Amino acid sequence: MIEKNKEYILDIISQGYEGEGIAKVNDTFPVFVEGALKGERVNARIVKVKKNFAYGKLVDIIEPSSERCEAKCNIHKRCGGCKLQHSTYNEQLNFKFERVKDCISKIGKLDEGIVKFPLGMKEPWRYRNKVQLPIGMVNGELKIGFFAPRSHEIIDMETCLIQDEVADKVVQLTREWIKKNNIKPYNVDGKYDESGILRHVMIRRGFKTDEVMVVLVTNGAKLPNKDEFIKLMVDNIPGIKSIVQNINSKPTNVILGQECITLWGEPTISDYIGDFKFNISPLSFFQVNPIQTEVLYGKALEYAELSGDETVFDAYCGTGTITLFLSQKAKKVYGVEIIPQAIENANINAKENNVDNVEFFVGESEIVIPDLINKGIKADVVVVDPPRKGCDVKLLNAITNINAERIVYVSCDPSTLARDLAILEENGYKTTTVQPVDMFPHTAHIENVALLVKER
């Protein structure tokens, strides 16, 4: 039996869904080792033993993989954001390819041959257009960075190689301003201090417009020396268009409150996905990797195979980004989303882009879509882009009752995608293609676009 705190020489034979290495003791008992790669022989110390598996801490790499590389970031292990940075980018894509195939075959019971190789990035660095960073005091020292995994410990950051470079500059200036003016953070030694002022700093940048937004999240309306902060940003950040104070007085892990005060400039910035312009407020949802978002949405549009005569249902439409993409080649697109504010943004986005062949509804897709059908509206194509938990079973049943020719399923979780594809297959659809798109290089996350066709 494997023992806690003992060290073992392990051969890593595969990788888990989070990118951790997996070894088998006596060919049966799995040991998960974070930081180990497939094909490596490692020395690991067992830190936790469960009934059917164990966790090991990497002590030494005895035989490294040819795909192992030197991580560019010196805090990536501690912040936990880029768990695959020690692997070459091509090997990251291989890992994600195998992960999607494994889910499709084991969970969905489908042929893994329908899965295509992931569409990756030419430059898999500096791809994020938004970052939210907690501000805190730790043992009397100011920290601005990321929370360590499963904790409130702030890992201090000077640079993050997957964020836009403007964020690094904003963090540096914000740090100088806080220290000079002795402004107290809300997070002190991992606990909330009601007398503290600053909670987070958020930076957003439009990749195609170069417009920059800086948001200070505060515990209440008080914000001393804000004029000095504004001057620092305006004088030193090219493209600065919006400086906003967001007020969040609740003792919660939710980052943003509902009240925003524009301190300088405009309340929004703008950016484009394809030919469509989107206005982005502090509270707006906008894909964080706009380069790969175009790839993802372009693939969804391709799979929809629209000729201009089709009616399309877009379930979980959010702020209408995919809806607008579909509108280019559809006769009419109906978007459905449960969050009222998202639908407000969707209508604004449609108007901003002079799109008049879309219509948005607030409500649960599994209720709204059958209601549209009862009113005589029939869809030729259905597009779904659900949250990580996947589609509601009621929606899947409603979709299959539509008898649409094609279903395009956009997913951020291969496991729930595979589960839902199996349900749709049981109800008369055939999955022809699953195309992974790497939206988040150096992490274990992978998006997918799947095409299903009605079997006749």
Side-chain angles (χ1 to χ4, degrees):
M1 179 63 183
I2 198 165
E3 296 181 36
K4 185 179 178 180
N5 295 325
K6 273 199 169 185
E7 292 185 8
Y8 294 83
I9 305 299
L10 302 172
D11 291 315
I12 307 299
I13 59 173
S14 62
Q15 284 179 261
Y17 285 177
E18 293 298 318
E20 68 277 30
I22 302 176
K24 291 282 183 73
V25 176
N26 298 327
D27 294 327
T28 58
F29 191 81
V31 180
F32 296 89
V33 184
E34 189 168 320
L37 295 176
K38 181 180 177 181
E40 293 187 327
R41 173 167 284 191
V42 303
N43 181 22
R45 184 175 69 255
I46 303 302
V47 293
K48 186 181 290 186
V49 179
K50 297 286 190 178
K51 182 179 179 181
N52 296 315
F53 60 91
Y55 291 104
K57 182 177 178 62
L58 186 63
V59 175
D60 188 34
I61 302 166
I62 299 167
E63 295 178 11
S65 164
S66 60
E67 299 298 333
R68 178 172 287 277
C69 64
E70 190 71 32
K72 290 187 177 184
C73 175
N74 60 4
I75 63 168
H76 86 283
K77 289 182 181 179
R78 295 172 61 211
C79 103
C82 298
K83 290 188 175 182
L84 303 180
Q85 210 182 111
H86 57 289
S87 174
T88 64
Y89 186 51
N90 189 64
E91 185 60 21
Q92 292 181 31
L93 296 178
N94 280 323
F95 156 69
K96 295 179 182 187
F97 186 37
E98 294 302 320
R99 181 189 171 194
V100 176
K101 288 195 296 183
D102 191 63
C103 289
I104 291 298
S105 61
K106 291 182 180 177
I107 299 173
K109 308 300 181 186
L110 304 177
D111 179 8
E112 67 174 33
I114 63 176
V115 181
K116 295 187 174 182
F117 194 77
L119 299 174
M121 298 190 73
K122 291 181 180 178
E123 294 294 333
W125 301 99
R126 300 289 188 183
Y127 59 81
R128 289 182 59 98
N129 59 13
K130 172 189 172 186
V131 61
Q132 301 173 125
L133 301 166
I135 301 169
M137 295 296 291
V138 180
N139 297 323
E141 186 179 347
L142 177 66
K143 305 279 187 181
I144 305 177
F146 300 99
F147 284 126
R150 297 174 296 278
S151 83
H152 283 106
E153 178 193 0
I154 299 175
I155 307 301
D156 207 30
M157 181 210 82
E158 291 186 1
T159 183
C160 175
L161 299 176
I162 63 170
Q163 309 291 348
D164 186 78
E165 287 173 298
V166 74
D168 295 348
K169 183 66 175 176
V170 171
V171 170
Q172 175 196 333
L173 294 169
T174 302
R175 194 188 304 272
E176 292 172 4
W177 170 72
I178 293 171
K179 287 182 175 179
K180 179 182 176 184
N181 295 284
N182 197 27
I183 299 173
K184 191 175 182 181
Y186 181 66
N187 185 312
V188 178
D189 294 326
K191 298 178 181 179
Y192 297 143
D193 185 334
E194 291 298 328
S195 66
I197 294 171
L198 294 174
R199 297 176 69 130
H200 283 76
V201 58
M202 180 173 80
I203 304 105
R204 307 185 85 151
R205 176 175 169 262
F207 275 25
K208 290 190 176 179
T209 62
D210 289 327
E211 295 176 0
V212 176
M213 169 183 285
V214 177
V215 180
L216 287 177
V217 184
T218 60
N219 175 39
K222 184 180 177 183
L223 183 58
N225 302 97
K226 59 187 175 185
D227 289 341
E228 183 180 330
F229 180 81
I230 291 167
K231 188 174 189 312
L232 263 180
M233 295 298 133
V234 173
D235 289 350
N236 293 282
I237 302 299
I240 188 79
K241 185 185 178 185
S242 176
I243 303 175
V244 175
Q245 178 185 2
N246 175 270
I247 299 174
N248 182 5
S249 300
K250 295 180 179 179
T252 171
N253 291 332
V254 176
I255 293 173
L256 297 173
Q258 291 301 306
E259 184 180 356
C260 292
I261 301 169
T262 303
L263 301 178
W264 179 90
E266 304 294 325
T268 64
I269 60 171
S270 62
D271 203 8
Y272 288 82
I273 300 176
D275 295 327
F276 294 104
K277 181 182 179 182
F278 296 92
N279 290 321
I280 307 162
S281 74
L283 302 178
S284 294
F285 171 79
F286 193 70
Q287 290 280 7
V288 298
N289 185 339
I291 297 168
Q292 289 295 86
T293 297
E294 284 196 31
V295 176
L296 184 76
Y297 290 180
K299 192 57 67 174
L301 183 59
E302 175 191 328
Y303 286 175
E305 296 182 33
L306 302 174
S307 64
D309 296 323
E310 294 87 358
T311 298
V312 183
F313 288 159
D314 181 13
Y316 305 101
C317 71
T319 57
T321 47
I322 292 182
T323 317
L324 296 189
F325 256 67
L326 295 167
S327 74
Q328 298 174 90
K329 295 187 177 181
K331 180 180 179 181
K332 180 85 174 190
V333 187
Y334 295 90
V336 184
E337 170 61 53
I338 196 170
I339 301 171
Q341 296 93 328
I343 291 298
E344 287 177 22
N345 286 336
N347 282 308
I348 292 169
N349 290 333
K351 186 176 181 180
E352 177 80 28
N353 290 281
N354 299 312
V355 174
D356 56 10
N357 63 334
V358 300
E359 192 171 346
F360 295 104
F361 297 88
V362 177
E364 297 178 5
S365 294
E366 58 269 22
I367 295 174
V368 174
I369 286 177
D371 186 52
L372 292 173
I373 296 168
N374 291 335
K375 291 178 180 177
I377 300 170
K378 181 183 181 300
D380 304 288
V381 178
V382 176
V383 177
V384 294
D385 183 10
R388 194 167 300 279
K389 66 180 181 179
C391 288
D392 189 289
V393 175
K394 293 178 186 176
L395 176 61
L396 294 175
N397 291 332
I399 288 172
T400 55
N401 290 333
I402 292 170
N403 288 321
E405 291 295 322
R406 287 175 299 284
I407 299 172
V408 179
Y409 192 131
V410 180
S411 167
C412 60
D413 188 290
S415 299
T416 54
L417 169 66
R419 179 201 68 200
D420 291 351
L421 292 181
I423 295 171
L424 292 169
E425 291 245 346
E426 290 172 0
N427 287 279
Y429 282 86
K430 179 71 175 175
T431 310
T432 63
T433 309
V434 176
Q435 175 62 73
V437 179
D438 190 22
M439 298 276 284
F440 306 103
H442 311 295
T443 78
H445 299 296
I446 183 71
E447 301 263 337
N448 290 276
V449 188
L451 171 63
L452 301 97
V453 296
K454 182 70 177 176
E455 291 191 303
R456 300 298 180 188

